[in-house]
Amino acid sequence: MFPRTLPQPEILSVDGLPTLRWGIIGPGWIADRFAAAFRHHTRQQLVAVAGRNLDKTTAFAGRWDIPRIFTEASEMLALKDLDVVYVATPHNHHFPDAMKVLQAGKHVLVEKPLALNAQEGAKLQQEARARKLFCLEGMWCDFTPKYDVLRQLLENGDLGDLHTLIADHGEYFTPDHRIFNPDLAGGPMLDLGSYLISLSITVAGSVPAQVLAQGQPAPGGVNGQASMLFTHHNGMHSVLNTTLFSRTPSGAVIAGRDATLSLNGHFYAPGDFTLASSEGNQLLHWKDKGGHYEQLSYEIEHTAWCIGQGLTESPIRPLETSLMTLSTMDNVRRQLGIVFNEERQD
Ligand SMILES: NC(=O)c1ccc[n+]([C@@H]2O[C@H](COP(=O)([O-])OP(=O)(O)OC[C@H]3O[C@@H](n4cnc5c(N)ncnc54)[C@H](OP(=O)(O)O)[C@@H]3O)[C@@H](O)[C@H]2O)c1
């Protein structure tokens, strides 16, 4: 039956959240947005930053009032008064950087994707478990109120039997962007595609039973775009496209027997959505209240809450979900012949 109202998002209370001492590795583009959300929308402490370029790292620390600056991450990780580290380096540095953080005895929040492939991801999971440390992939949308409501609608079965997910994520990048660099695991898959594949796994509840993919290279040798058709165990299809050639709407539609959920605008970011009954005569609208990247604060506070609870994994995004996302991307990449430098045997 079509719901009378949308579920209320469960918002974490900041009362009783531990105030943790955070460090950052990789003061780049997303780290700037993370630090802004951190400073303006949380009560956490940003105590140190490590970057390979002293001038850039000093400027970053100045912008966000961070007292300690390091050009070697290992020196930052030796600090005793540091609880948790946010890894915001390029994709192929996530695994070695997150491993260093765990081996130094600190909790870790790793930018998406958790690692280059499922094998690396599983090693991080083992290390975190062995050391009883918290490890989370920063798939930031999962921690926003919008995605909480989306998950509740799916869990309540409000859409009825699910038939189809259609989603895309395409952005335009200037040729000097790291996404074209084969030495930084370039291509759209790990940057943009990880959101698509993660959503497909969230909606279907498991990895696809069958994967069909077609790709097209970009100048310079990295993959330029990929179109994917997944068949899930429940018969649901996911039809997905990611490209770095053009800006595409980047919306998503989740269609069930009883209702259709349309995430207009960027499905992976804060924004509005509509739930429409299959007859089309009943509509419910989600209007997002918060700004865009300031909602990175939700993953920051969720991390602090989990660590305060003594958890090693997030109940919202357990590492198993990250590993399912990685293994599905591995599957797609096998079909497209995409091999990252770190995976080459020769
Ligand atoms: N959650 C989101 O919405 C979101 C959005 C964008 C990106 N991301 C993720 O965040 C990660 C970083 O993306 P970004 O766009 O912030 O990248 P970026 O601007 O290039 O920043 C990367 C940072 O890592 C440092 N770095 C360390 N080793 C490096 C190496 N060998 N080559 C290049 N840089 C190196 C860079 O150093 P320098 O400071 O010396 O350049 C820079 O500080 C990616 O994995 C991406 O998937 C997430």
Side-chain angles (χ1 to χ4, degrees):
M1 206 172 43
F2 195 77
R4 291 212 332 241
T5 57
L6 289 175
Q8 285 298 310
E10 278 183 34
I11 310 271
L12 201 61
S13 163
V14 291
D15 297 332
L17 268 192
T19 306
L20 301 180
R21 298 157 302 182
W22 290 68
I24 294 178
I25 303 178
W29 190 89
I30 191 61
D32 242 333
R33 278 136 196 92
F34 180 91
F38 197 104
R39 273 278 169 257
H40 301 312
H41 300 282
T42 81
R43 295 185 200 159
Q44 301 294 304
Q45 284 180 0
L46 208 37
V47 299
V49 56
R52 57 185 186 158
N53 176 307
L54 179 61
D55 290 345
K56 198 173 164 188
T57 309
T58 305
F60 183 92
R63 270 196 302 285
W64 305 114
D65 198 18
I66 303 173
R68 284 149 131 167
I69 300 160
F70 297 87
T71 50
E72 283 298 330
S74 54
E75 288 174 15
M76 180 179 85
L77 295 175
L79 291 175
K80 294 233 174 344
D81 50 356
L82 182 72
D83 304 305
V84 49
V85 174
Y86 169 59
V87 172
T89 46
H91 317 308
N92 55 337
H93 292 259
H94 290 186
F95 171 71
D97 287 342
M99 191 55 99
K100 265 187 240 159
V101 174
L102 291 169
Q103 288 175 348
K106 315 293 185 200
H107 305 289
V108 68
L109 168 62
V110 192
E111 252 311 332
K112 39 80 22 193
L114 177 67
L116 279 186
N117 52 43
Q119 201 183 15
E120 283 188 358
K123 286 184 187 160
L124 289 178
Q125 184 184 42
Q126 282 160 18
E127 194 70 24
R129 282 186 179 166
R131 292 176 182 272
K132 298 191 172 39
L133 290 167
F134 180 74
C135 179
L136 173 64
E137 178 191 20
M139 184 58 76
W140 67 300
C141 48
D142 281 11
F143 310 98
T144 59
K146 169 177 159 179
Y147 266 60
D148 186 71
V149 174
L150 186 154
R151 280 192 301 271
Q152 289 189 56
L153 288 168
L154 293 172
E155 279 161 23
N156 295 345
D158 287 326
L159 277 70
D161 290 341
L162 297 172
H163 298 139
T164 322
L165 164 68
I166 303 173
D168 70 291
H169 191 170
E171 283 184 38
Y172 170 78
F173 296 92
T174 53
D176 59 341
H177 193 274
R178 62 167 172 74
I179 206 160
F180 289 103
N181 187 346
D183 293 334
L184 297 177
M189 187 56 63
L190 299 184
D191 253 285
L192 317 178
S194 57
Y195 288 114
L196 291 167
I197 290 171
S198 181
L199 178 66
S200 140
I201 286 168
T202 298
V203 174
S206 63
V207 292
Q210 203 190 0
V211 170
L212 288 172
Q214 295 266 302
Q216 191 185 357
V222 301
N223 168 251
Q225 73 168 334
S227 296
M228 299 157 271
L229 168 59
F230 299 166
T231 305
H232 299 275
H233 294 283
N234 57 2
M236 188 188 107
H237 281 186
S238 293
V239 185
L240 313 171
N241 170 270
T242 183
T243 178
L244 46 73
F245 294 137
S246 324
R247 175 183 289 273
T248 67
S250 299
V253 174
I254 306 168
R257 187 198 54 218
D258 300 338
T260 297
L261 203 154
S262 302
L263 299 145
N264 300 318
H266 294 165
F267 75 87
Y268 57 89
D272 303 341
F273 68 73
T274 304
L275 184 73
S277 62
S278 289
E279 295 82 8
N281 56 352
Q282 295 180 81
L283 285 177
L284 288 171
H285 298 283
W286 165 260
K287 292 272 172 217
D288 216 294
K289 294 198 184 79
H292 195 98
Y293 282 111
E294 67 192 48
Q295 292 203 30
L296 282 161
S297 62
Y298 290 109
E299 74 174 11
I300 298 168
E301 288 181 335
H302 179 71
T303 298
W305 177 82
C306 289
I307 293 170
Q309 297 292 311
L311 302 177
T312 55
E313 296 196 18
S314 156
I316 292 179
R317 191 172 179 82
L319 290 175
E320 196 50 40
T321 305
S322 302
L323 297 186
M324 286 197 282
T325 305
L326 286 170
S327 68
T328 305
M329 292 199 288
D330 293 348
N331 195 340
V332 170
R333 288 197 296 116
R334 267 194 298 279
Q335 292 197 19
L336 303 186
I338 303 170
V339 182
F340 298 129
N341 292 354
E342 288 75 2
E343 299 171 323
R344 292 187 193 283
Q345 306 293 335
D346 41 51

